[in-house]
Amino acid sequence: MLYWLGLVLKSHIFLFNVLRYITFRALIAVIVSFLITLVLSPIFMRKVTALNRLYGGYVREDTPETHSKKKFVPSMGGLIIILSLELSSILLMRLDIAQTWIMAFTVFGFAIVGFIDDFVKLKNKKGISARSKMLGQIIVSFVSASLLYFVMHIDTHIYFPFFKSLKLDLGYFYIVFVMLILIATSNAVNLTDGLDGLAIVPAMTTAFALGIISYVAGNSILARYLEIHYVENAGELAIFGMAVVGAGLGFLWFNSFPAQMFMGDVGSLGLGAALGMLAIMSKQELTLIIAGGVFVVEALSVIIQVSVFKITKGKRVFKMAPIHHHFELNGTPEPKIVVRIWIISILLAIFTIATLKLR
Amino acid sequence: MLYWLGLVLKSHIFLFNVLRYITFRALIAVIVSFLITLVLSPIFMRKVTALNRLYGGYVREDTPETHSKKKFVPSMGGLIIILSLELSSILLMRLDIAQTWIMAFTVFGFAIVGFIDDFVKLKNKKGISARSKMLGQIIVSFVSASLLYFVMHIDTHIYFPFFKSLKLDLGYFYIVFVMLILIATSNAVNLTDGLDGLAIVPAMTTAFALGIISYVAGNSILARYLEIHYVENAGELAIFGMAVVGAGLGFLWFNSFPAQMFMGDVGSLGLGAALGMLAIMSKQELTLIIAGGVFVVEALSVIIQVSVFKITKGKRVFKMAPIHHHFELNGTPEPKIVVRIWIISILLAIFTIATLKLR
């Protein structure tokens, strides 16, 4: 929106001219989304705490026993993150390109699925069934993928980091590929969200790395110089990536150990879909595996645990899955596990950005 | 060193060609310095813990009473950070420029002053007198400043962010100016180093921001485009900045709450001098105030507390200074204070880098 205002007013007032720059709007995105979460969270926390006490609190299933002390910590803080992302992207991204609206829809859709689960959990503890949740994710991701394919006419090739000459055209199957990415990332972030501050920081570092790459991919000179695939208007996605960083920092202010609120499924599903969409729309689908490596490992730990348990009829690879609970049961203090996983996610982001030069 | 190897071998083996790129060596700097601290710290911690038990442990003066539980946590972990910085800078920076050696000397000199204090503290608890410590800092910073002035013939102008046309020539006084910066930053980092993980992250974000700016300042095309003052060879400082990030992440692995080791004065004085030197050699002396804003506020809180106490003969502005102890006594849990200050330091780094475009 401000981009358009900048276009209209640039000849009148000099200051508005800078609104045309992606870098400037990306900076504003960090600040605006940070302030929105910082200011709204305390109000929100008071409301949800009251609801929590009314319905008797909730402890996440399949967590170590020590987690029972988190019973009355308000959840659904992700609502504020999502609100902050939607507001700042509509305020700062260009409104005349499909990317802005498809991103907004996808994040909103996944957040709604998560919100329904969170809301039902308030009363009946169990939430909605795994099947209904998956159905919701399939519907939203199908709509998003169709919009990308039929409306935005997205390039259906997959490009490979490090192998510049390699590309693969998926054709119609690209729709299924998009759905898989969105469902996988949203569930992976959801699984990771099990310790105070654990999910939000890797989400920020992943969004930051993908944001930088989107900026490069959307700049024809930089893209040619670094030999990565040029994608028209991908630069606008950098603004969204920085909004995730800002909203994440504001949320972390309250979510860091000991947490005063959790993001809930509304946050983790919405954020996961956002990360998937950033990678898809900048045609960096495979880079997501490196940048979001923490989520990949967390999800894999669950898959390995469940598979081995079924095959061996009862053997466990980890003391508990996802893997962060394994570390917890090994005796490492919660805040230390969390910061160590942050360190790994920061290294992955640095590595992802550095590969731009190495590809 | 590897730069030189790259020059020699580039015609023989293709891989060595990339060693000429600053960005590539900066990435390697992160990885190498991270691995050095990660691998050496556990060995080091065992040795110092043994010494600590022998001499009865040490609790920092002027801290809340709860800090007595940190009595036997090994200190002097900064030794590993400094070792890691010196090794990776000699391995990765160009050895034919004065910057590399003056940086190495300054960091080493300040670290030695801190080390003497730490070592004496092991036995007599009090450490060396404030006067001897200051004398050591004055001597080292005088030598560093003289090397900059007489050997490197550093530009003695000061440039102002946001005011492109403004510059001020300090002439001989630049030597005093350099000494002031080095002594101020090293003491500010030292004061900040009072909670688990508190000093290292702002040191990393400051080094990161100054590293990015150094890279731009050392690239004539980028410097002209962004209208910042071009400084020959400043790009090599980006490698040093990234080494601080890598070493910092490796140190944080053990230093995060609850800390298994502290950096001690050897770390805080050495790191502080490194940050000051990064700003000086990239001619971004004033940018340091923004990027290192956390250290500025921590130092100011002590100055305000002491001044007001003296003037009013007994009134206190903060419950305790530096300001992080004030928050602690207000009841905010230690790890939460720390993460919140990290959040502020990240925002300051983003802002510092973004100002490149706005200046």
Side-chain angles (χ1 to χ4, degrees), chain B residues 109-248:
Chain B
F110 272 85
I112 286 286
V113 174
F115 178 74
I116 294 171
D117 190 36
D118 287 335
F119 196 77
V120 173
K121 257 181 218 159
L122 263 183
K123 293 193 187 176
N124 81 355
K125 316 295 174 211
K126 277 269 166 200
I128 55 178
S129 71
R131 192 184 291 186
S132 343
K133 209 161 138 186
M134 179 55 85
L135 187 69
Q137 292 175 304
I138 289 174
I139 293 171
V140 176
S141 63
F142 178 71
V143 176
S144 299
S146 305
L147 288 171
L148 286 174
Y149 190 90
F150 295 107
V151 178
M152 209 179 102
H153 302 293
I154 194 167
D155 174 7
T156 55
H157 287 87
I158 299 181
Y159 301 88
F160 294 80
F162 304 111
F163 302 93
K164 288 167 199 167
S165 52
L166 213 61
K167 60 177 183 175
L168 188 68
D169 190 357
L170 292 185
Y172 273 115
F173 283 104
Y174 193 75
I175 294 180
V176 180
F177 185 59
V178 165
M179 292 173 65
L180 277 177
I181 293 177
L182 293 177
I183 294 171
T185 49
S186 57
N187 283 307
V189 175
N190 187 229
L191 287 171
T192 306
D193 181 35
L195 298 179
D196 297 358
L198 184 58
I200 191 65
V201 172
M204 284 154 56
T205 57
T206 308
F208 182 80
L210 291 173
I212 299 284
I213 294 184
S214 300
Y215 178 75
V216 172
N219 182 310
S220 58
I221 300 166
L222 284 175
R224 198 178 318 129
Y225 172 63
L226 293 167
E227 294 187 56
I228 76 162
H229 184 67
Y230 170 68
V231 183
E232 209 189 332
N233 292 327
E236 293 288 316
L237 297 170
I239 297 168
F240 189 87
M242 294 307 134
V244 173
V245 173

Side-chain angles (χ1 to χ4, degrees), chain A residues 18 21 23-24 27 30-31 34 204 208 215 225 242 245-246 248-250 252-260 333 335-336 339-344 346-347 350-351 354-355 357-358, chain B residues 18 21 23-24 27 30-31 34 204 208 215 225 242 245-246 248-250 252-260 333 335-336 339-344 346-347 350-351 354-355 357-358:
Chain A
V18 291
Y21 292 116
T23 41
F24 181 73
L27 169 67
V30 174
I31 299 172
F34 174 72
M204 284 155 54
F208 182 80
Y215 178 75
Y225 172 63
M242 294 307 134
V245 173
L249 288 173
L252 183 64
W253 190 269
F254 305 101
N255 180 241
S256 76
F257 180 88
Q260 295 151 283
K336 194 171 281 269
V339 170
R340 287 180 175 179
I341 294 180
W342 292 358
I343 291 172
I344 293 168
I346 292 168
L347 288 171
I350 293 174
F351 183 74
T355 58
K357 191 91 174 198
L358 302 181
Chain B
V18 290
Y21 292 115
T23 42
F24 181 73
L27 169 66
V30 174
I31 299 171
F34 174 72
M204 284 154 56
F208 182 80
Y215 178 75
Y225 172 63
M242 294 307 134
V245 173
L249 288 173
L252 184 64
W253 190 269
F254 305 101
N255 180 241
S256 76
F257 180 87
Q260 294 151 282
K336 194 171 281 269
V339 170
R340 286 181 175 178
I341 294 180
W342 291 357
I343 291 172
I344 293 168
I346 292 168
L347 288 171
I350 293 174
F351 183 75
T355 58
K357 191 91 174 198
L358 302 180

Side-chain angles (χ1 to χ4, degrees), chain A residues 26 29-30 33-34 81 84-85 88-89 238-248:
Chain A
V30 174
S33 55
F34 174 72
I81 300 177
S84 166
L85 288 180
S88 48
S89 56
I239 297 168
F240 189 88
M242 294 307 134
V244 173
V245 173

